[in-house]
Amino acid sequence: MMVGSALCIASWATVARSVPENEMGRGPRPKNDRQSWLLSADVPQPVSIRGRTLFILTIDPKGSVQNCEIAISSGSNTLDEVVCRSLSARAKFHPAQDRARVPITGYYHSGVFWRPTNSNNSLFVMELEFPLPHQPIPRSDPREWITAKDFPASVHYGGKAKVAINVGADGTVKSCDVIETSGTSELDGLTCRLIAARVRFLPARDAQGRAVEGAFPSTVTWRR
């Protein structure tokens, strides 16, 4: 009988640190108070779900929001649309810069955590900032990539598999390499097969905003 879970955890901070700032320039930084971007008055009442809206903002060289895309939906199209509409109107940024400190198009990734209206009298909480100007961004929650149901019956022990995922300009997984083994070749191989089959990304972007190939590091923890 299997208990516990198999979790896939990808660290946004790890991705941001994987490329030194002097090599990729600087990502966009909020210019006004993030708490002013989304207000209670913007949100239709009542809120009946508990979930997250993760979004990617395209920031133009003047620091304005050029586009808002939902990376992970809360499950409510209405709430997702409220996020993009409000942030597009109110969020202001210091623009991204290339290595020569010239303003360029950049990308800003963050999220909103929604709570039911009757929970602690709170509707939502703005999450931590994830400014990732040039890296691939998963379209689904990394914690849902691999589940307990995927643990093979033939393997008796779990472990951690660190992988490097190479993402194409179309957002699909082109290759997956295990850079630190889980201790079991079957788990290592299964990790990459499942990621390649299930995961899609918003592609990395170059300094001109064009979709390019990129790398996304992740760690999968298998527990039995």
Side-chain angles (χ1 to χ4, degrees):
M1 178 178 178
M2 180 167 54
V3 297
S5 61
L7 303 176
C8 180
I9 303 171
S11 169
W12 306 110
T14 298
V15 179
R17 289 195 296 267
S18 66
V19 182
E21 183 174 292
N22 63 354
E23 292 184 15
M24 72 178 195
R26 174 182 293 172
R29 293 167 295 150
K31 190 174 184 179
N32 58 344
D33 185 0
R34 295 173 72 247
Q35 299 306 314
S36 70
W37 295 356
L38 180 63
L39 306 176
S40 294
D42 300 327
V43 182
Q45 304 291 329
V47 173
S48 59
I49 69 168
R50 181 179 295 272
R52 295 188 304 163
T53 297
L54 295 188
F55 57 84
I56 296 94
L57 301 179
T58 302
I59 310 302
D60 68 23
K62 295 183 178 180
S64 297
V65 177
Q66 189 176 60
N67 185 57
C68 174
E69 183 167 355
I70 301 300
I72 301 177
S73 173
S74 64
S76 167
N77 290 335
T78 298
L79 294 180
D80 295 344
E81 290 170 2
V82 164
V83 170
C84 275
R85 183 167 60 248
S86 300
L87 270 59
S88 295
R90 299 196 186 105
K92 304 299 179 185
F93 289 83
H94 298 286
Q97 298 177 345
D98 63 15
R99 286 177 292 179
R101 295 296 182 255
V102 175
I104 58 173
T105 297
Y107 305 89
Y108 184 88
H109 181 200
S110 190
V112 177
F113 176 70
W114 300 99
R115 296 171 175 167
T117 303
N118 60 0
S119 175
N120 299 321
N121 297 318
S122 177
L123 298 176
F124 60 88
V125 176
M126 292 292 291
E127 294 190 326
L128 296 177
E129 302 170 20
F130 304 115
L132 307 179
H134 302 303
Q135 308 305 114
I137 298 173
R139 287 183 176 271
S140 56
D141 190 333
R143 293 172 297 183
E144 299 174 354
W145 291 355
I146 295 176
T147 70
K149 295 179 181 179
D150 297 313
F151 205 118
S154 58
V155 178
H156 302 291
Y157 301 97
K160 291 184 178 181
K162 291 186 178 181
V163 297
I165 305 168
N166 294 314
V167 181
D170 61 354
T172 61
V173 175
K174 297 303 181 184
S175 66
C176 174
D177 300 306
V178 176
I179 56 178
E180 186 173 316
T181 181
S182 65
T184 306
S185 60
E186 187 172 350
L187 289 181
D188 291 347
L190 184 57
T191 297
C192 277
R193 287 198 300 275
L194 291 175
I195 288 174
R198 295 175 177 173
V199 185
R200 296 295 180 267
F201 291 80
L202 292 175
R205 302 279 174 174
D206 63 15
Q208 286 73 45
R210 296 171 298 196
V212 295
E213 292 187 4
F216 187 89
S218 184
T219 298
V220 175
T221 301
W222 291 92
R223 295 193 183 102
R224 188 172 177 81

